[in-house]
Amino acid sequence: MLNILVIGNGQCGNRILDSINRHAMGGGKNCNKLAKFYAKQKFKSHVETLAFNTAVNDLKEMKFTKAKDRVHIPHLHGVGANRNVGKQVFEENKEMIMRQVEERGNFDIAFVLTSASGGTGSSFTPLLVREMKNRYDYPVYCVVVLPFREEGTLYLQNTAFSIRDIRQSGADGIILADNQYLKNIGGNIEEAYNGINDMVAERLLFLLDALDSEMMMVTDLGDFKTVMSGGAGLATIGFFRADKEMPIKTTIQNSLSPSGLLFSTNVYEEASRAMIVIKGDRKYLSIDEISTEVEKLSGAVGHVFKGIVVRDGEYPQVLSLLTLESAHELEKLYNVAVQAIHYEKAKKQRVEEGIEMKKTFSQIEGMEPEY
Ligand code: GDP
């Protein structure tokens, strides 16, 4: 049995963690809010969860994560999207934060969930990962959510710097999920968030389940590590669950298609290594079809690990983990972020020089009020 630690930082990280806990309590959308008081998470592995936040309201909003797993780092009401403030708050509370991690025990693998663009999660995550890598031997993977592109200049510049910082923190890999790419989920913003969080949670749970399953064809933690070390430190996940009888060939293709992926990439061009995990009733698992699809992928990307989990009576589901050699979409995001940084810099300079205000006050220069 694997020992797994999942940490959610900041609002986005907390909410995805809460979705993981809801699913693990056997809850679909209707899982009872009281579940956290009496239900036991049904992870196959030994899973510990921890949520860190500077905003107490974000922690209170969590419905399926136990109180002992929600850790408030006192600092007014969040850090206002300022990563410098966030980093300082982390440093000031580092020992308290690391004590929480320490108390959870030792692990085989850890995941840290965060948005790239906010203040708390994006500044805590690289510092937390660095501390964890200094203190423990287990691999630490980050699941990083990219912003909607129209969310503003501060979020864009935070994204550019936080991803760089996470890469430099010693993280063993970054799994990308992109709000912008996934926004076609529809509904209002809250529903879109919930939909995206559920997608990420479902994929991570599938992955954890697969890593700890008896398989007909094996993928294990070692394979996962090899795949994750394959690309440029970046990865994403595709997934498809058939809700009716469907050839396994189509299920695999769907998991690799734009509607199955968490981040925009042309798998056949940008992927560097892959792991495909197939689950379902034996009658859907045609080895010929599986081999053909896997060969097609490995012809393009190099090495593909495959795992098969037999589940009687279940329609086929496929999870594809892909590390990326290049990421055109991320490059585009950095282009926009650079413009945002220039924009903010020019604005700051104008304000510091007081150009606009000088213009305003110059209008009354040499004048006195007349009564
Ligand atoms: P923090 O609490 O200061 O770390 O900031 P947030 O996690 O709220 O970061 C803001 C970014 O996260 C924005 O780009 C939001 O679109 C995104 N975000 C906030 N909440 C959620 C959520 O529940 N799900 C998803 N997918 N994105 C979120």
Side-chain angles (χ1 to χ4, degrees), residues 41-95:
Q41 279 105 330
K42 281 185 269 180
F43 294 111
K44 182 171 292 150
S45 316
H46 167 231
V47 178
E48 294 277 339
T49 64
L50 253 177
F52 292 113
N53 211 324
T54 51
V56 73
N57 284 343
D58 292 348
L59 291 167
K60 280 189 188 153
E61 204 192 74
M62 300 178 88
K63 296 190 179 81
F64 303 96
T65 303
K66 300 201 187 269
K68 70 168 179 54
D69 292 349
R70 289 182 265 158
V71 183
H72 181 220
I73 313 300
H75 184 77
L76 306 172
H77 299 286
V79 301
N82 186 329
R83 295 189 66 240
N84 289 339
V85 176
K87 286 178 189 177
Q88 198 189 328
V89 174
F90 182 91
E91 290 301 340
E92 286 164 7
N93 294 278
K94 187 161 79 185
E95 286 319 312

Side-chain angles (χ1 to χ4, degrees), residues 10-12 15 115 117-121 147-148 151 155 179 193 196-197:
Q11 182 180 59
C12 178
R15 286 183 176 170
S115 73
S117 52
T120 301
F148 298 104
E151 281 187 295
Y155 276 9
N179 278 347
Y193 279 158
I196 295 169
N197 299 347

